[in-house]
Each structure stands twice: as structure tokens, then as C-alpha cells.
Amino acid sequence: MTPIGKSVDRVDGRLKVTGAAPYAADNNPPGLAYGYLVTSTVGRGVVTGMDTAAAAASPGVLAVYTPFNPLKLFAYGQEQNDERIPPLQDKEVRYFGQPIGFVVAESFEQARDAATLVRATYEQQPPVTAALAATHVEQTDEQPDTVLADGVSSFAQAFNAGDVTFTATYSTPVQHHCAMEPHATVAAWNGDHLTVYTVTQGVVLVVRRLSETLGIDAAKIHVFSPHVGGGFGGKWGNWAQVPLACAAAKALGRPVKAVLSREQVFAVAGHRPMTKQTISLACTADGTLTAISNDGVSGKSLAGNWSESVANWTLTTYASPNIRTSKTTMPMNLGAATVMRAPGEANGSFALESAMDELAGQLGMDPIALRLKNYATVVPNTGKAWSSKHLDECYRRGAEEFGWNARPAKPRATVEGDWLVGTGMGTATYGASRGQASTKVRLHADGTATVSGTAADLGTGQYTVFAILAADVLGIPVTRVRPELGDSASPTAANAGGSNSTCTNGPAVQVAAQAARAEIVKLATTNEKSPFYGKEVVYRDGSISSGGLTMSFGTLLTTCDVGSVEAVGTSPKLTDPDHAFRSFGAHFCEVRVHRWTGEPRVTRWLTYVDAGTIVNVKAARSQIQGAVVMGIGQALLEATEVDQATARFANGNLGSYLVPVHADIPPIDVRFLDHPDPLISGLGARGIGELGIVGVAGAIANAVYHATGVRVRELPITLEKLLDAV
Ligand code: MOS
């Protein structure tokens, strides 16, 4: 009985609920000192001086590093969606809250107290924020992408020829990842060897970054990150505390721990930039799309390189003979913008899914009928075939099971007591890919197996995926497999990003487990102490057998006096130029808006998912539910307010940046189609981590419109925006 496709409890669940799972900040090597960031109190300018005398004289202080007395760090070579320049290496202030100092002391409290005593003087300039950026600094980063039908000379020509046309602009604010675990790094040197415990979406990313910025050989760096308390993109880059802890530990000859405060996480450790999209749709009278365009604008940081390619989702979602997108960025004095769950696509889908609903209204057509009419049977902008796509089944089954078809066509048609009731839907799609990955499987004399790789489990269930897939090939219970993740000494597997972990690492676990089976068979037939010596054997359900004799691999290893056998397996990167790979889904929701207060509440949810093979239904459901929760936050609550005068994140803390709590979330019903994708891998699994948030905000905006007749095109949909109309 294979455990694939069943519901398996998380193998790390007990460790987590008992508090036994070690996170980065839980590591306390002997002789530990504590580092604390000093951050800028202006949004743009130059640090002209820093008075560190009081801090240096403060109890327990070991060192105060500043741009005038820096820890030497080499320039970053590789782009990692974080800051362009390592901390303290120059005196320019590019954003409010930028690290301009690092105080190291005997205790965390002493370091934090001393940090408040550092006085900086600045030559200030007015920071560039959205208001200023919009009028002064717009800059186009990427070429427009245009596909035109034969005989069409311009997109405008195609658009203007439509029987029905629609144009509107949608915007989204700065948002933050808000992972529960704040950013933390512990660094300890032994001679010229460095050991690092840190938060990260991939230990390999940390090794590479530290090798370049510390100027040491990657082979001398050992990074551990076995448990991570949420990432969502915010722990892909290596932020200031990573190199500072390592360099200070070297300079002081003592291990150093650096943990960011929650406010520092907001300022220093990345955010999702603001975006704006102007969507234009043209169609024939029967709803057949003839032209689609999206002019996307993304905020960008003067401290980083990254911005959201927010219009790209429009290129691949609905069929149209004429498609056009563009991208413009607005560099600002904010901390580095970075990837955040479904970068570009969570926001991209909000605009297009809202616009499709608006067009359906204009046509008097059902929103699902409009989507099915324009179903993309091939990739719209390239004409490439999909590896496997059952989005239409998600629409149809979802509609049936949600009760969509009983929905009144007109908005504001259902009132229940003080609540206006509406329903909405949105499409989810997210790219899938399979990279190269290696893992190692080892069979032990006690009958257990270990499976290891540098992969990360951010709370996603990756540990359990490793255990399930190894157990399946080895034919033993999942409970007898111990997965080991987050150790840079393991074979190189996929980092946790781009919904890529199971897709990429899954096949590598299968290959390694098959190789380990071959090793135990070889031992059985070639070891002179083995009862199977020189015989023909079969491996089945964790045992070797021949004739009437069956022996478990543990007993065989014991009999042969061998502690373990192991094998490394590598699954290559997938190259398939003929197919496009995406996961698909459809969201259906009910929203109630209070008639007198305008308060929106999400009250019912159904998501249908087409992501190929689902390895662990229980954890996959949690992944989609978590993404829907994050999408509900995006739609109704989340916005980081930028003070336009100082460029400070005015609500950069969990007290005033609103994320959904349990009371905001209805039961979320998640259903999976079972269509393995034979082209992505033998396992047939595409990604699910980010898919679940795509289309959520659009579905909610559409339901709010259906409930109230009010179309909100600026996220979040707060009650202020509904109050006048209800
Ligand atoms: Mo995630 S936003 O793919 O790190």
C-alpha cells in the first residue's frame, strides 16, 4: 500500500508542538555574544557622523561597528532578491531603518540598550516615495511583450475593433511577509571554518552568499537550518544580520547571535512592492476576447534590484489573438523589495480576475462562462502546449459543488438580515518547473532509513514528503524513515522557492531510494555472511527474499555486521522545450458585507486544485488553506502604510499591520483533482505552495461587488471603501 496520495501526519509535528524543534535563534554555542542592529532614522541621505562613545562604554559592550568602523565585507556578486550592497560598507542611507551600526555585547539586552545610545548625524534629503516616484522617477525596466494576429498592425487597432471594450486600473499596496519566526543568525568560527545557524529558504543560498561576502571558500562554511518558522519569500535573500553576525564573530573570536526585532524585520528584511495595473480587454458580442493588455507598474527599492513583473500573468491566462503587456518600475527610498508568495502573480491575478468579472457584467454573461469561452488550450502568448491542464474541470466541478449555478446574475440581490451577501470566483494558475536535485538514502541495521538533502521545510510539509516518497520505494512504514533537511553538508537539493520543492526533490528522493535498494540487494548477494550469498533475490516491503527465506534489511545488515548502506541519487533538471508547465485551480467564495458598517466578512470558501499528483493530501490541503488565508489578508486587511514625508513604514509591526486571525477565516474546503502530470516527472507532481493565493483577492473583490454593487479596485478592500455605498 503506497503512502502517496494519502493523508499523513507531519513527521516533524510532535517536535514542533512540544517546542523541541530547534530554530536558528535556539542555538547557544559556548561563549556566545549578542549583536543588535542600529538603524537609520532618516529615509534618504548620508551619515555624516556617529557618536558611539556612550554605547561603547555601556555595560557588557564588546564592539560597536559602523560605516566609520566597519566589518569588512566584499560586494555581493550574485542576485538574491535582497540588498544590492552588504551592510555598513558605505555611508549612504537608502531607506528608513537601514542598518548603520551593529553593537555586540555579552547579552541581548545589553546590546539592545547600547544600540539606543548610538547617535548618528545625517545630511538629509527628501526621500523618494510613491507620490514623488510617480511623477519623477518612472523607469521602464523590461521590453513590452506583444503578440498580434496576422494582419493586425498595432494593439490599439485590435482593441478599438472590439464590439465591447473595457479598461480599468487596479492597485495594490506594499505588503509584508509576516512569518512568525523573526530573522535570526548564529555564527561560530573554529579556526577558519564557519558554522552558521540561520533562517533561510535554502542553506545553499547562505553558503554562496557568505562565501562571496566574507571572501572564504564555500567548503569552509557549514550552514544549518533544520526548522524555519515561515518564509513566504522573505527568507530567500540573506539580510543584514547574516553577514554581520559572521564577520563580528570572526573579529571578536566569539560566536555571535543576531536576532532582528519585529520592527527591524519590517524595515530590513524585504517586502512586496506596491503595484498598479491598467488592464484593457476587448471582445466580440458573444464574449470572445480579441485583445488583452496589461500595463504593469511595480515599486522598486533604491537599495535593491527586484520588482514585481505584475503584468506577466496576463500573458498566460486567457486566449486572445492580440496580447500586450508592459512593465514600468518606480524606484523609491524603501528597504529592498523582494519575492513574496506568488510574486507578480498574486497581484497580477487580482487585476485580471477583477477585470474579467467586470467584463462579464458588461456582457451580461456568467463569469465562469466567460472564462470557459476564452479557455487557453495552449499558452496564449507562445502557442506552446500545456503538459497537463484540467482547469476547466476545476471550474465545472467547483461551480457544481459550491452551488454557483443558483447565483443571481445581478449584484446586490441577496440580503440576509443586516448583511448583503455575494459570491465570487477567481482563477488560480502558477508556474511549475523541475530543477536538478540530489538526495541520499541510508538504510540502517535497526530497520530504519534516513533520507537527506539540503532542502528546507518552512512549515510546508517537505520533511513529510521526503519520508513518504522514501518509504514508498523502500516498502516500509513512513514512521521508519527519518528525513534530514537544512544541512549544507547534505547532497544539494532544491531550495524552498517558486513552489519547486516537491516537484524537484520528490523525484530525487525516489532515485536515491531506488539506489539504496540496489545497494542492499548487492550486500545480500555478495557479502559472505549473508544467507543470500550468491543467490537470486527479490526486494519487497523492506525485506530481501529468496526461495522460502525472507529477511528484513535491518536483520540482514545486522547479520552481515554492516552498520548501514547508502546511496546518493540525482534527478536531472527537466528540459522540455515543447511544453509549458503550470498548476491550476479555481476559487469560489461567499462574502457578506454589513449594511450599516460596511464590514466585509468572508463566510464560505471552496478551492479546486489541479496540480498533478498530490503526495500528502493532508499537508497539501494545509498549504492551499494557508495560501487562501494569506490571500484573504491581501484582499481585506494587509497594507504597509508608507509615511510620505519620512519614507518610514508607519505600521511596520504586528500590532498595526493587520493579518487575518482565526475569526476572519471561514472553513476552507480544498478539493484536489487527481491527474498526475506525466511530463513533469515520473512522480507527476507539480507545485502547490503559491498556487493557492493566486486568484483569491480577485474572487473576494468579485464577491464584494456581487454583494454590494461596489467595485473596489484598490486593495485592501476595507470598510471605508464600502461605507458610502452600503
Ligand atoms: Mo517564494 S515567494 O517562491 O520564495
Side-chain angles (χ1 to χ4, degrees):
M1 274 274 285
T2 175
I4 298 173
K6 308 286 187 312
S7 275
V8 177
D9 290 346
R10 260 164 219 267
V11 298
D12 50 332
R14 180 177 294 267
L15 278 182
K16 285 190 169 166
V17 298
T18 58
Y23 290 80
D26 293 328
N27 291 282
N28 297 301
L32 187 61
Y34 297 80
Y36 197 85
L37 294 181
V38 179
T39 56
S40 72
T41 54
V42 303
R44 183 185 177 197
V46 174
V47 185
T48 51
M50 286 179 74
D51 181 353
T52 58
S58 186
V61 170
L62 299 166
V64 182
Y65 301 105
T66 70
F68 301 92
N69 171 36
L71 290 155
K72 175 67 191 159
L73 296 169
F74 295 97
Y76 294 148
Q78 192 160 292
E79 176 59 46
Q80 282 196 350
N81 308 331
D82 52 18
E83 287 196 66
R84 228 182 298 121
I85 301 169
L88 314 190
Q89 304 305 299
D90 69 349
K91 299 182 183 72
E92 188 188 343
V93 176
R94 288 168 285 271
Y95 62 95
F96 193 105
Q98 176 179 316
I100 54 167
F102 190 59
V103 177
V104 186
E106 294 289 348
S107 75
F108 173 77
E109 289 77 10
Q110 288 171 332
R112 185 179 55 183
D113 278 4
T116 67
L117 302 176
V118 176
R119 290 286 171 268
T121 51
Y122 306 92
E123 197 179 282
Q124 282 194 61
Q125 290 169 283
V128 180
T129 54
L132 196 54
T135 50
H136 293 285
V137 221
E138 288 208 28
Q139 158 197 323
T140 297
D141 260 358
E142 284 174 20
Q143 301 76 21
D145 200 323
T146 305
V147 179
L148 296 175
D150 288 347
V152 174
S153 61
S154 71
F155 181 82
Q157 184 201 348
F159 179 75
N160 292 330
D163 294 333
V164 177
T165 62
F166 170 82
T167 296
T169 299
Y170 302 84
S171 69
T172 66
V174 170
Q175 296 162 351
H176 276 80
H177 308 80
C178 296
M180 271 171 62
E181 179 200 24
H183 291 59
T185 301
V186 178
W189 292 82
N190 184 357
D192 62 353
H193 280 76
L194 172 63
T195 302
V196 184
Y197 307 90
T198 191
V199 302
T200 183
Q201 293 180 214
V203 285
V204 169
L205 297 163
V206 185
V207 171
R208 277 195 212 134
R209 193 55 134 189
L210 285 175
S211 171
E212 65 185 1
T213 200
L214 299 173
I216 62 172
D217 185 357
K220 293 185 171 158
I221 303 170
H222 196 172
V223 177
F224 292 100
S225 185
H227 297 284
V228 183
F232 315 114
K235 291 173 183 166
W236 184 273
N238 282 281
W239 305 100
Q241 93 285 352
V242 182
L244 289 176
C246 295
K250 180 78 174 168
L252 295 170
R254 289 176 63 170
V256 171
K257 179 191 290 192
V259 181
L260 301 192
S261 70
R262 181 59 66 177
E263 289 79 359
Q264 290 173 346
V265 174
F266 269 84
V268 172
H271 65 271
R272 195 200 285 281
M274 55 73 69
T275 70
K276 217 169 64 177
Q277 299 171 72
T278 299
I279 301 239
S280 293
L281 303 173
C283 63
T284 58
D286 72 351
T288 304
L289 287 165
T290 50
I292 307 178
S293 78
N294 186 345
D295 291 301
V297 179
S298 170
K300 184 173 175 173
S301 168
L302 288 157
N305 294 322
W306 198 83
S307 58
E308 288 221 334
S309 295
V310 78
N312 284 5
W313 199 76
T314 299
L315 292 169
T316 58
T317 306
Y318 298 109
S320 168
N322 303 287
I323 308 179
R324 194 194 133 273
T325 63
S326 71
K327 177 181 178 183
T328 304
T329 57
M330 298 183 1
M332 293 182 241
N333 287 110
L334 297 177
T338 195
V339 292
M340 182 165 142
R341 203 171 201 167
E345 312 212 347
N347 282 333
S349 62
F350 161 64
L352 186 57
E353 290 307 278
S354 296
M356 286 294 279
D357 199 72
E358 297 203 56
L359 182 67
Q362 215 171 308
L363 289 160
M365 214 172 153
D366 178 82
I368 295 177
L370 179 63
R371 284 165 174 81
L372 286 168
K373 176 133 233 149
N374 296 289
Y375 194 70
T377 51
V378 296
V379 183
N381 65 326
T382 62
K384 225 182 240 190
W386 302 104
S387 62
S388 169
K389 178 178 183 178
H390 302 275
L391 175 59
D392 50 348
E393 195 179 338
C394 293
Y395 290 144
R396 292 198 172 98
R397 286 175 67 166
E400 176 69 30
E401 291 162 37
F402 182 80
W404 179 266
N405 301 327
R407 176 189 202 250
K410 291 254 172 293
R412 218 183 162 92
T414 308
V415 182
E416 288 181 17
D418 285 338
W419 297 89
L420 308 179
V421 184
T423 53
M425 58 80 58
T427 302
T429 89
Y430 193 79
S433 61
R434 195 188 93 212
Q436 176 177 308
S438 299
T439 67
K440 179 161 79 181
V441 170
R442 182 182 280 187
L443 307 179
H444 301 271
D446 66 359
T448 64
T450 46
V451 52
S452 57
T454 57
D457 189 324
L458 317 177
T460 55
Q462 187 68 180
Y463 270 111
T464 314
V465 165
F466 270 53
I468 288 171
L469 295 176
D472 174 56
V473 174
L474 298 173
I476 60 175
V478 173
T479 49
R480 274 170 51 199
V481 181
R482 283 191 310 282
E484 297 169 342
L485 307 185
D487 178 343
S488 67
S490 298
T492 303
N495 303 313
S499 303
N500 204 15
S501 289
T502 295
C503 220
T504 293
N505 295 330
V509 171
Q510 292 180 311
V511 172
Q514 281 150 8
R517 269 174 63 154
E519 284 301 313
I520 195 77
V521 165
K522 192 166 99 193
L523 179 84
T525 54
T526 60
N527 186 298
E528 290 184 6
K529 292 182 190 161
S530 163
F532 304 105
Y533 181 73
K535 295 193 175 138
E536 286 279 305
V537 300
V538 290
Y539 180 101
R540 197 161 170 272
D541 295 341
S543 294
I544 307 282
S545 40
S546 179
L549 180 63
T550 294
M551 187 178 271
S552 71
F553 70 71
T555 307
L556 175 68
L557 285 162
T558 306
T559 305
C560 296
D561 262 334
V562 174
S564 64
V565 293
E566 66 178 45
V568 174
T570 297
S571 159
K573 179 178 164 65
L574 173 69
T575 43
D576 178 348
D578 301 327
H579 293 93
F581 297 83
R582 288 184 87 79
S583 287
F584 300 95
H587 299 290
F588 299 83
C589 68
E590 178 191 83
V591 169
R592 289 169 183 245
V593 178
H594 197 273
R595 289 181 79 172
W596 312 115
T597 68
E599 180 190 9
R601 309 282 311 167
V602 179
T603 47
R604 203 151 67 82
W605 201 279
L606 171 67
T607 299
Y608 246 100
V609 173
D610 166 36
T613 299
I614 300 299
V615 175
N616 183 4
V617 170
K618 186 174 183 180
R621 180 179 293 123
S622 295
Q623 277 285 75
I624 299 294
Q625 286 175 331
V628 171
V629 171
M630 206 162 182
I632 291 173
Q634 176 197 11
L636 299 181
L637 299 166
E638 296 186 43
T640 312
E641 306 294 345
V642 181
D643 178 60
Q644 297 296 306
T646 59
R648 174 175 173 267
F649 290 137
N651 60 338
N653 60 75
L654 288 184
S656 39
Y657 180 93
L658 302 182
V659 293
V661 298
H662 282 296
D664 296 312
I665 304 300
I668 297 169
D669 189 351
V670 180
R671 303 183 187 188
F672 295 101
L673 299 181
D674 181 21
H675 298 300
D677 185 333
L679 296 179
I680 194 127
S681 69
L683 176 60
R686 293 191 302 263
I688 52 168
E690 287 158 288
L691 175 73
I693 193 174
V694 180
V696 168
I700 292 172
N702 298 341
V704 166
Y705 172 77
H706 190 238
T708 63
V710 179
R711 175 62 61 175
V712 180
R713 300 192 182 111
E714 293 181 2
L715 292 184
I717 305 169
T718 52
L719 55 83
E720 296 93 315
K721 295 171 188 167
L722 300 172
L723 200 49
D724 283 348
V726 293

